[in-house]
Amino acid sequence: MAEQVAASRYVAREASLRRRLLTPEGLDLGVVLADAGQRASAFMIDAVFIILALIALTLFVIFGLFGVVGVSRSTNGLSALAIIWLIGWFVLRNGYFIGFELRGRAATPGKRISGLRVIARDGGRLTADAVIARNLMREIEVFLPLSFLSARAAEGSADRWLNLLGFAWAAVFLFFPLFNKDRLRVGDLLAGTWVIRARPQTLAADLGATSDGAPPAYRFTDAQLDIYGEFELQTLERVLRENHQEALDTVTAAIVQRIGWAEPVADPRAFLAAFYRAQRPQLERRMLFGRRKADKTVR
Amino acid sequence: MSSELAQGTARFRAEREADWLRLEKIVDRVERRSVRALSDDDLFALPLLYRATLSSLSVARATSLDRALLDYLEALSLRAYFIVYGTRTDLLRRIGQFFATDWPAAVRGLWRETLASLALLVSGMLAGYLLVASDPSWFAAIMGPDEAVVRGPTASTAALQRILVHTGNQDGLSVFASFLFTHNAQVSLLAFALGFAFGVPTALLIAMNGCIAGALMQVYVAHGIGGQLGGWLAIHGTTELFSMVLAGAAGFHIGRRVAFPGESSRLAAAAEAGRTAATVMVGVVVMLSVAALLEGFGRQLITDSFARYAIGGFALLVWLLFFYIPREARRG
């Protein structure tokens, strides 16, 4: 029962993140929005990269130019270093996100690692002004709350409440994505963009294909194959592909009980594979006749 | 019957698999490098393979329950879709277009907000001036106690004057300029971003900046060297204050469209306003870097008040002409 609730909740959540993206050919590609956790982790990865780059920049300025190149200790050399650092940090802070998202993949390294990308909400081209707009808003989403936090740490109790209020106000922008169904940041809202999942997939082997012409070791009756629906079939597909012994055993036990399989099952994986191969054509035939069976509760 | 069907889906896949894999290879290469990395053959094949894959997806959705296959085709079609329809012009062309049309057009589109922002800045200046005139202790409240010692009402005329004509050593100047540039740019980006809170914090930020300039002016006018201060401010100030006004205007534009979206939906209005305002903001950063050059180099090299006024006035004229001279609308 709990499993079923969890499963239906999972399905509902996935469905609630699905959006239409109609190509000019008239096909809905059905993009899936990134959830708040994926967005946050992508941002954390980017933040680490930015901090590393800042450290590298600082070290470069201190040692690279100072020591190796041999800039003398004159004010001339020092000021050159200061300029490089100041401008470098400015470009890094504002240019990192914009620069990467303007490229073909429309994703920062953090987003790429998390399998995300930015797209225009209307499905058209992602324009430069949209990318700039969505990233300049980070100023109030990230840096403003940070500045309130650091100010609070630095100053005495007189301004503490003021800073706390300031932080609470800034937190509205910070937690904005949690309060709308499209998981839009303020920046996404103002730029007309979405962040979607776009992890490249590899073509997996077809589990439904019989390897040879040999008759199947397990035979199922039509009544047995009529019990489960498409959701269960695709869950079974996932279990088979992931291939964890424990999951295979559990699912085998559940199916054996449900369809009333009398004989002993020696090899759970072979049994499940046979069941999948028998079940899928059955459901696909129903599909062709327009009588789809979404899950086992459908008659 | 069942086995016939299984053979049908297997055949469907076997017949098309080579196309999918070839498309995947092409998409991989474009994503890793660029469209230019493709051979002519691949380039011509790309749209055909993309359409073939879309049609495979649509058939698979209607006939197959193989989740892995559907996921693969969806992901591949999506990646190819962005390559086929996401064509972009090259960078140089884009930059040219930004300066030639996009930027001035965006600034012109914000003329109402620009006037409002200007009015706020000027009234902030007046307020700062009048406050310090009525009670000099306001200066410390506006500028901070440290500044008040250096160039507050209690400082001597000679000390105030020294700040204006101080040429310093040439090395510190550019550091000063780059510090001012990054600081000012960050403040104006903040003014823009705060526009989202219905423009209220933006208004405060603009008025406060006006206040500071007003307070400073009062001190110098009271010492009878207002004209010199004018030159000191004007050489870069016309550009810097103008960009500040524009940053405020960009913020107000967002605030206004979010609060009063008019005919379009709030979401659509916000998206449209955000893109226009972002274009203005890129321009603001450009203007600020010009202002920093004028401030860091021009001001220190040119100490004559008249020349400072002339340069400041000329810069203002150039900006006004650049933004507001009507030009033929770009087609397409």
Side-chain angles (χ1 to χ4, degrees):
Chain A
M1 190 63 207
E3 262 170 54
Q4 218 171 341
V5 171
S8 65
R9 215 177 265 161
Y10 172 77
V11 171
R13 201 176 66 106
E14 289 295 292
S16 78
L17 287 175
R18 223 176 155 83
R19 296 287 179 279
R20 276 170 71 88
L21 177 73
L22 208 59
T23 69
E25 292 82 10
L27 190 69
D28 174 18
L29 285 179
V31 298
V32 182
L33 299 179
D35 61 33
Q38 290 169 321
R39 301 284 299 272
S41 69
F43 178 74
M44 291 314 249
I45 297 171
D46 283 327
V48 168
F49 283 148
I50 290 177
I51 291 169
L52 285 180
L54 181 65
I55 293 172
L57 174 72
T58 311
L59 288 180
F60 171 74
V61 162
I62 293 175
F63 295 110
L65 293 178
F66 215 55
V68 180
V69 185
V71 178
S72 66
R73 280 171 187 275
S74 68
T75 42
N76 213 336
L78 280 178
S79 67
L81 298 182
I83 293 169
I84 290 172
W85 194 88
L86 278 168
I87 302 290
W89 171 223
F90 179 78
V91 168
L92 187 63
R93 176 171 168 181
N94 296 291
Y96 176 88
F97 289 96
I98 295 175
F100 279 114
E101 286 177 8
L102 278 177
R103 302 183 54 141
R105 282 284 295 270
T108 57
K111 287 199 182 68
R112 207 176 298 179
I113 291 169
S114 312
L116 309 177
R117 72 171 287 151
V118 183
I119 66 167
R121 275 210 294 275
D122 57 10
R125 284 179 45 191
L126 180 67
T127 53
D129 46 0
V131 169
I132 292 167
R134 77 184 295 281
N135 287 309
L136 289 189
M137 294 313 281
R138 284 183 204 277
E139 205 57 39
I140 62 166
E141 290 170 309
V142 179
F143 295 108
L144 193 64
L146 272 183
S147 68
F148 277 116
L149 278 182
S150 57
R152 184 167 164 249
E155 283 172 24
S157 63
D159 289 327
R160 187 174 295 162
W161 286 105
L162 203 63
N163 275 318
L164 202 60
L165 275 177
F167 179 70
W169 176 70
V172 172
F173 307 117
L174 183 60
F175 294 112
F176 199 84
L178 297 176
F179 299 109
N180 64 79
K181 63 179 179 4
D182 278 11
R183 297 284 165 261
L184 298 179
R185 287 199 292 118
V186 172
D188 287 317
L189 190 136
L190 276 177
T193 51
W194 269 331
V195 175
I196 60 161
R197 293 181 210 171
R199 199 182 283 288
Q201 308 262 348
T202 45
L203 185 53
D206 186 357
L207 292 175
T210 41
S211 46
D212 44 38
Y218 302 90
R219 288 194 167 276
F220 303 94
T221 64
D222 278 357
Q224 283 171 330
L225 294 177
D226 264 345
I227 293 173
Y228 290 113
E230 292 172 14
F231 172 70
E232 288 78 18
L233 179 79
Q234 291 179 344
T235 309
L236 175 60
E237 178 188 341
R238 207 170 65 228
V239 169
L240 280 169
R241 288 193 196 281
E242 284 168 4
N243 202 14
H244 289 305
Q245 193 55 47
E246 209 179 316
L248 291 173
D249 290 343
T250 315
V251 173
T252 306
I255 292 179
V256 163
Q257 199 204 349
R258 179 79 191 230
I259 67 175
W261 188 257
E263 298 155 46
V265 176
D267 179 0
R269 192 183 150 75
F271 173 78
L272 289 181
F275 188 73
Y276 178 84
R277 271 200 291 275
Q279 170 104 71
R280 207 177 94 190
Q282 187 87 352
L283 286 169
E284 281 175 349
R285 194 170 60 234
R286 278 187 71 137
M287 197 169 161
L288 283 180
F289 287 112
R291 295 185 296 120
R292 297 190 70 152
K293 185 173 162 73
D295 57 42
K296 61 189 174 190
T297 60
V298 178
R299 286 288 95 209
Chain B
M1 169 111 192
S2 284
S3 64
E4 273 168 40
L5 203 67
Q7 278 166 15
T9 47
R11 201 168 56 233
F12 162 77
R13 180 171 161 158
E15 279 170 0
R16 291 162 179 78
E17 203 171 326
D19 280 352
W20 305 336
L21 292 175
R22 182 167 176 214
L23 180 63
E24 190 184 345
K25 210 170 273 169
I26 294 176
V27 168
D28 268 345
R29 191 173 313 153
V30 173
E31 282 182 351
R32 220 169 300 129
R33 287 190 270 163
S34 86
V35 180
R36 289 199 200 92
L38 293 183
S39 68
D40 285 352
D41 275 355
D42 285 348
L43 198 60
F44 286 124
L46 175 61
L48 299 177
L49 290 171
Y50 160 71
R51 292 209 172 90
T53 306
L54 271 193
S55 106
S56 299
L57 172 61
S58 126
V59 171
R61 272 182 182 164
T63 60
S64 174
L65 286 172
D66 187 351
R67 190 70 253 166
L69 177 68
L70 290 170
D71 285 348
Y72 171 78
L73 288 176
E74 274 183 3
L76 183 60
S77 306
L78 192 65
R79 288 164 73 196
Y81 167 76
F82 289 122
I83 290 170
V84 172
Y85 288 103
T87 49
R88 49 197 81 218
T89 48
D90 66 312
L91 193 66
L92 273 180
R93 191 105 129 292
R94 267 219 58 96
I95 292 174
Q97 194 191 327
F98 170 78
F99 282 104
T101 53
D102 291 359
W103 183 19
V107 170
R108 272 199 305 281
L110 262 58
W111 66 272
R112 271 185 237 106
E113 289 87 349
T114 309
L115 284 181
S117 182
L118 180 67
L120 255 173
L121 187 76
V122 170
S123 47
M125 275 183 187
L126 276 178
Y129 189 95
L130 294 177
L131 281 175
V132 179
S134 68
D135 178 2
S137 64
W138 272 103
F139 189 86
I142 294 172
M143 301 284 284
D146 298 341
E147 281 287 308
V149 176
V150 183
R151 46 185 174 184
T154 51
S156 68
T157 308
L160 289 173
Q161 209 154 15
R162 210 171 317 125
I163 297 174
L164 300 188
V165 293
H166 174 70
T167 46
N169 57 12
Q170 297 296 315
D171 307 321
L173 301 180
S174 36
V175 179
F176 184 57
S178 37
F179 169 74
L180 280 170
F181 162 66
T182 53
H183 174 261
N184 290 343
Q186 220 66 67
V187 169
S188 30
L189 292 182
L190 187 64
F192 155 78
L194 284 172
F196 184 71
F198 306 115
V200 177
T202 306
L204 291 177
L205 210 59
I206 297 289
M208 186 64 208
N209 270 291
C211 227
I212 290 173
L216 198 62
M217 264 185 230
Q218 200 280 333
V219 172
Y220 278 82
V221 171
H223 281 85
I225 46 174
Q228 285 180 37
L229 176 81
W232 189 76
L233 283 178
I235 186 167
H236 73 288
T238 49
T239 305
E240 192 175 295
L241 291 179
F242 197 177
S243 67
M244 179 61 81
V245 165
L246 286 180
F252 291 145
H253 184 59
I254 289 173
R256 183 171 73 86
R257 296 295 285 159
V258 171
F260 310 110
E263 300 265 300
S264 39
S265 79
R266 205 175 294 273
L267 221 54
E272 199 203 343
R275 290 201 288 261
T276 312
T279 306
V280 173
M281 285 314 294
V282 174
V284 164
V285 174
V286 172
M287 284 176 82
L288 282 171
S289 54
V290 172
L293 289 180
L294 285 174
E295 183 165 18
F297 297 103
R299 186 163 79 191
Q300 315 295 336
L301 300 176
I302 302 162
T303 49
D304 177 44
S305 272
F306 175 75
R308 284 176 169 181
Y309 274 115
I311 292 176
F314 179 70
L316 182 63
L317 186 71
V318 169
W319 289 123
L320 286 173
L321 289 177
F322 173 59
F323 290 136
Y324 296 108
I325 273 197
R327 60 199 83 183
E328 200 181 344
R330 221 181 119 88
R331 277 189 215 108

